[in-house]
Amino acid sequence: RVNPTIYKGNPMFDANDCVIGYESTLLVEVAKAGKTAISLLEMIPPIRHSTIGQIKTLFSSRLEGMGEILFPKNMEELKGNVSF
């Protein structure tokens, strides 16, 4: 049996200029810090489609006008926002 290890996200975004996630509110912290925050929510839709709007609304309210979370719809849009 393998026990998952839980890592705090803050050291990850301190060390990187771009963080790619799904629906973690860590993306809000990354965006507020002036770094690139990318959610794959539009690329990998949740089971309940209505959830997309709810998550975007939550992110927007927590951003409080500081920073932006990007929501690419395909791989080309994702590549246009990050350097590999």
Side-chain angles (χ1 to χ4, degrees), residues 49-76:
H49 190 70
S50 63
T51 306
I52 293 174
Q54 293 168 343
I55 293 169
K56 286 183 172 184
T57 299
L58 174 69
F59 282 163
S60 179
S61 69
R62 291 198 176 172
L63 281 171
E64 300 170 329
M66 299 170 53
E68 176 184 19
I69 298 174
L70 306 173
F71 297 92
K73 291 180 174 50
N74 54 50
M75 194 56 117
E76 290 74 34

Side-chain angles (χ1 to χ4, degrees), residues 29-51:
E29 293 180 49
V30 170
K32 281 184 164 183
K35 299 187 177 205
T36 303
I38 300 174
S39 170
L40 299 180
L41 189 63
E42 292 280 354
M43 289 180 67
I44 308 168
I47 293 171
R48 291 181 306 137
H49 190 70
S50 63
T51 306

Side-chain angles (χ1 to χ4, degrees), residues 7-42:
Y7 297 98
K8 292 189 180 234
N10 298 58
M12 177 177 44
F13 89 77
D14 287 341
N16 296 286
D17 291 328
C18 176
V19 173
I20 299 173
Y22 188 71
E23 63 176 284
S24 171
T25 54
L26 175 66
L27 293 172
V28 172
E29 293 180 49
V30 170
K32 281 184 164 183
K35 299 187 177 205
T36 303
I38 300 174
S39 170
L40 299 180
L41 189 63
E42 292 280 354

